Structures are given as structure tokens and as C-alpha cells.
Amino acid sequence: MRVVIAEDNALLREGLVLLLTSAGHEVAAVAASGPEILPALLANRPDVAVLDVRMPPRFRDEGLRAALEARQRMPGLPVLVLSQYVEESYAAELLGGGAGGVGYLLKDRVGRVDEFLDALERVAAGGTALDPEVVTELLTRRRGTPVDTLTPREREVLKLMAEGQGNTTIAETLVITERSVSKHIGNIFLKLGLPPSDSGHRRVLAVLAYLDNSQADRG
């Protein structure tokens, strides 16, 4: 798998290069500032991009902006965004396009090598990988919406769905049957007014888009 990395912290950048090459992936290019990102992506056409949200020169949202523009120019480009903190607006904007191949992780997650590599591969395959802390923020900040009608178990299932977990993993995590998971998911879609036929990462994006729209409606 060919990867382009955009990270201004030299230590973390080199650590990512070492981690990915050790796992058998090819680092096609690295970028250390916002203006370097898009040219690196367009020139190398990677299988997946790993981008820091805040990059020089302004340390605001240069990485996110580059990711969004790159996905416009290269539809379907898988992007895994890294952030120091949970910044809900960034996650919502990244997910706003409704397409797959998107990840949003806190930088602390990189230290959990297996989790990070699993998330990267999931995103590269067109799936979704959201940091559990990001998902928790997305869910707990919503009040007065249909999400409040979910049972505690349904909220647990929704949280794991939003992290990109499949039915089998959800069942194992919650120690319930896959049939029960499917039933809970059906109830979640029903309560949120979402198509019950949605599956895979698209169901996750639909749920998160709905949550974001719910907040916007209250704003």
C-alpha cells in the first residue's frame, strides 16, 4: 500500500514512516507544511493519505483543507486525518461528503500500533475509522434529538458502528449474538429515520451525518 504522510512534527513524521515501512507499506512522499500536501498527493496518487489537521504556516486546518480539496480532485481518495484533540467540527466536515474511505483519529492512537494499522487498512479499503473519543463527543453533545430515544444498548451498538466496527466485532465486544446486533441496528435506523437497507461504512456515515444535521437544526 502506497501512503503519503503530512505531519509537521519531525519526530512523529519519521515515526510514522518507520511504522508503515516496517508493516510492509511504501511511503511515497512526506509533507511538512500545508502548501506541500496537495502537490504531493497529486504527484503520487497514493492508496491512502495520512494527514495532520493543523499544519504550518498558520496551524489551523491546513491538513483538513488539503484533504477535502484532494478528495475533490481525486474522488475516492482514502484519507486518515490525525488530530491532537477532539475537534468535532473537523470530523463533521470530513464526513460531510457522505463517501467512504475516511478516518479521524487522535494522535495518541498512533502509539497503539495494531489499532492504528487496522484503522489505516480499513480506510484504504473504503471503510470508516473514527476514534472512540470522537464518537463519544459526537453522541454526548446531541440532546433533544431522536438519538435520545435509543436504549442504552442501542447507543452502545451505534457507538461501535460509528467506529467502523462490523457486526461480528460488535457482537463479540458486547457479548451478544450477531442476530441481536442486526436487530439493534434495525431499531436504530428506524428511530433515526434512516433507510434500513444501509450497510457497511455507509450506514455509519449516514448516522453521523444525521447527528450533525440534528445539531445544525438546533443551532
Side-chain angles (χ1 to χ4, degrees):
M1 184 163 64
R2 299 177 70 252
V3 186
V4 166
I5 298 171
E7 168 59 54
D8 66 290
N9 183 296
L11 185 61
L12 179 55
R13 185 172 62 247
E14 293 306 313
L16 285 168
V17 171
L18 179 61
L19 172 61
L20 293 175
T21 53
S22 297
H25 303 303
E26 175 190 349
V27 177
V30 296
S33 69
E36 297 176 19
I37 300 174
L38 191 59
L41 293 173
L42 293 175
N44 291 279
R45 304 274 169 168
D47 297 310
V48 60
V50 179
L51 311 176
D52 187 5
V53 168
R54 299 187 178 191
M55 297 281 289
R58 296 182 302 162
F59 293 98
R60 292 183 180 175
D61 58 359
E62 289 84 353
L64 177 68
R65 295 292 151 219
L68 294 173
E69 185 173 352
R71 282 171 68 85
Q72 286 183 342
R73 297 199 189 188
M74 294 180 284
L77 172 69
V79 175
L80 177 59
V81 171
L82 303 178
S83 180
Q84 191 69 41
Y85 310 103
V86 176
E87 301 185 74
E88 182 183 341
S89 61
Y90 291 161
E93 189 163 2
L94 189 63
L95 292 164
V102 175
Y104 186 100
L105 297 181
L106 296 182
K107 289 187 177 181
D108 289 347
R109 199 68 52 183
V110 177
R112 304 174 188 180
V113 175
D114 290 340
E115 290 183 30
F116 173 72
L117 292 175
D118 177 69
L120 183 68
E121 292 171 4
R122 193 184 311 152
V123 169
T128 305
L130 296 184
D131 195 285
E133 290 188 37
V134 174
V135 176
T136 298
E137 290 289 335
L138 287 167
L139 293 178
T140 58
R141 293 183 187 181
R142 270 61 177 180
R143 291 293 180 264
T145 75
V147 175
D148 291 336
T149 68
L150 301 181
T151 66
R153 177 63 84 188
E154 288 166 353
R155 289 178 68 88
E156 289 178 325
V157 171
L158 176 60
K159 183 175 183 295
L160 291 168
M161 284 169 55
E163 291 172 19
Q165 304 299 339
N167 287 14
T168 300
T169 301
I170 293 174
E172 293 173 351
T173 301
L174 300 179
V175 196
I176 58 178
T177 65
E178 288 192 48
R179 183 176 180 180
S180 295
V181 172
S182 297
K183 182 177 180 180
H184 287 310
I185 292 173
N187 289 337
I188 290 168
F189 282 130
L190 181 64
K191 292 179 180 180
L192 298 184
L194 297 169
S197 59
D198 258 347
S199 61
H201 68 271
R202 294 187 185 279
R203 69 187 184 181
V204 177
L205 296 175
V207 169
L208 293 175
Y210 181 88
L211 295 177
D212 184 56
N213 289 336
S214 297
Q215 186 187 50
D217 291 341
R218 294 189 296 117

